[in-house]
Every structure is written in structure tokens, then in C-alpha cells.
């Protein structure tokens, strides 16, 4: 007898414990998931993420900063027109800074084309520009006579080298991982939204119970009396 009572209590407790799970199912709000998915889709429609836009701004800053330093170097050497003619028209690899400016233009064009216009999600473009920049600057510092031309012989190559590697670090450790994480969140939210929709549809279909309309009070007795009155009297 005690065993039967124990089994009954266990069954009752298990049925009570199952109630919160049903409440949890009902508490799932698919509208929040749909809103989150729409926000991710809105970002995709914008075409470029915030972190990628920051990267493109930094690439633009790289070009403008090198251009500014080059213009200052032209002024220091005795006037923009005279020095510009000497460095561009009479270009000399060992003494001109014009190639460092062209190197910044090269980085800007390749990176903006790859990561802003084509929206590339790979590191090969930044690896190519950084490798070309590093090799060219190392060769120029070793072969040329920049160090004999004052402070700009140190500043322009070093700044160009540092900016190229900062761009590489920023893309590899910030842009690509963050975009991959946002894409994973979008896929998880989409999957959760589909599962929540299926759960809600299943709960509603199981919970739709229809009971027949209640009969009026005394209707059974009236039908029995009617049947008794219709019976022939013997």
C-alpha cells in the first residue's frame, strides 16, 4: 500500500515539474528574435559593418597622413614647385620621397577596392599590400641615402611601415573576427526563431480543446417524460 502511494506521489510530482517547461515554451517570444534578425538583415543591406567602415577610414587616414608629411618635406627642402619638379620629373630612387607617397596611394587603392567595394572577407589583400610595403621600404632604407637628408629620412619610411602593419593588425584581429561573430549570431538567432515558431505552433495545436456545448438543465428529464407519454397505454 505504501508503495502504491509512493508511486502516485512521484507521478504527481513529475506532472507538476513538467508544468514549468510548458510555461517556458509559452514564455519564448519569437517577435524579439524576429526583430533581432531584421536588425542583422538591415546591417547586411547597409553593405558594410561599423568596424569595416572604421578600417576604411584608417586606410584613408594613412594616405592623407603620408601626403601631408610629403608636402611638409617638399616645403622644408626649398619650395613645393622646385622640390616637386626635382622629386617627380627628375626622380631618383636614392633621394626622392615620391615613391613612398605612391606606395601609400597603392595601399589605399587596393584596400578600398578589396574591403570597401568588393567587401572581401579574407586577409590576402592586406597581406599583399603589407608585404609589398615592407619589402620596398626595407630595400629603400638599405640602398638609398635617405638618412643623410635629415629627419624626414627617418620619419616617412618609419611612419609608412608602422601604418601598414597597424592596418594588418586591425583587419586580422578586429574586422574579420567581429564580422564572423555577428554572422554566427545571426544564424543562431534565425535558427532559434524557426524553432520557437515550431514550438508555438505545436503547443497551440495540442492545447486547442473543444468541449461540446452544455445541455440545458432538465433537458434529459423532459426527453424521458416525453418518451413515456408517447408510449401506448395497454
Amino acid at each position: 500500500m505504501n508503495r502504491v502511494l509512493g508511486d502516485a506521489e512521484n507521478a504527481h510530482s513529475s506532472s507538476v515539474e513538467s508544468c514549468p517547461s510548458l510555461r517556458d515554451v509559452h514564455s519564448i517570444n519569437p517577435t524579439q528574435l524576429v526583430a533581432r534578425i531584421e536588425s542583422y538583415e538591415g546591417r547586411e543591406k547597409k553593405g558594410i559593418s561599423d568596424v569595416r567602415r572604421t578600417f576604411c577610414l584608417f586606410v584613408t587616414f594613412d594616405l592623407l597622413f603620408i601626403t601631408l608629411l610629403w608636402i611638409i618635406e617638399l616645403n622644408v627642402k626649398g619650395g613645393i614647385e622646385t622640390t616637386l619638379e626635382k622629386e617627380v620629373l627628375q626622380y631618383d630612387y636614392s633621394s626622392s620621397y615620391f615613391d613612398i607617397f605612391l606606395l601609400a596611394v597603392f595601399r589605399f587603392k587596393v584596400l578600398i577596392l578589396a574591403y570597401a567595394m568588393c567587401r572581401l572577407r579574407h586577409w590576402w589583400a592586406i597581406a599583399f599590400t603589407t608585404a609589398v610595403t615592407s619589402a620596398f621600404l626595407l630595400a629603400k632604407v638599405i640602398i638609398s641615402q635617405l638618412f643623410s637628408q635629415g629627419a624626414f629620412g627617418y620619419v616617412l619610411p618609419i611612419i609608412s611601415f608602422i601604418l601598414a602593419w597597424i592596418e594588418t593588425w586591425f583587419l586580422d584581429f578586429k574586422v574579420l573576427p567581429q564580422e564572423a561573430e555577428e554572422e554566427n549570431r545571426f544564424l543562431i538567432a534565425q535558427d532559434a526563431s524557426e524553432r520557437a515558431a515550431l514550438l508555438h505552433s505545436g503547443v497551440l495545436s495540442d492545447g486547442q480543446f473543444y468541449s461540446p456545448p452544455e445541455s440545458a438543465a432538465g433537458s434529459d428529464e423532459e426527453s424521458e417524460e416525453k418518451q413515456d407519454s408517447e408510449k401506448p397505454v395497454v
Side-chain angles (χ1 to χ4, degrees), residues 30-163:
T31 57
Q32 296 178 356
L33 296 174
V34 171
R36 184 175 297 180
I37 290 172
E38 289 178 353
S39 66
Y40 283 119
E41 290 177 350
R43 292 178 189 174
E44 292 293 331
K45 288 179 181 179
K46 284 195 304 184
I48 187 169
S49 62
D50 295 336
V51 66
R52 186 178 290 255
R53 188 183 300 110
T54 304
F55 171 77
C56 294
L57 288 175
F58 187 80
V59 172
T60 307
F61 167 77
D62 176 14
L63 174 63
L64 295 178
F65 189 60
I66 296 297
T67 304
L68 178 63
L69 290 178
W70 184 52
I71 293 174
I72 294 174
E73 182 267 336
L74 293 177
N75 278 324
V76 169
K77 282 188 175 181
I80 294 180
E81 295 181 359
T82 304
T83 312
L84 190 62
E85 181 180 356
K86 182 180 178 180
E87 289 199 0
V88 177
L89 299 180
Q90 302 173 4
Y91 171 74
D92 185 8
Y93 177 77
S94 62
S95 60
S96 178
Y97 295 97
F98 179 60
D99 47 10
I100 298 180
F101 166 74
L102 291 180
L103 195 62
V105 174
F106 162 75
R107 287 198 304 272
F108 174 79
K109 288 185 176 181
V110 172
L111 296 179
I112 292 297
L113 177 64
Y115 296 108
M117 300 180 66
C118 298
R119 302 168 193 170
L120 187 66
R121 294 190 175 184
H122 201 272
W123 49 264
W124 67 263
I126 191 73
F128 174 69
T129 57
T130 304
V132 171
T133 299
S134 301
F136 182 85
L137 291 175
L138 287 175
K140 188 172 182 66
V141 168
I142 293 172
I143 299 173
S144 67
Q145 302 173 356
L146 295 179
F147 292 157
S148 62
Q149 299 183 18
F152 281 96
Y154 299 89
V155 172
L156 272 174
I158 291 174
I159 293 297
S160 182
F161 185 84
I162 291 175
L163 289 176

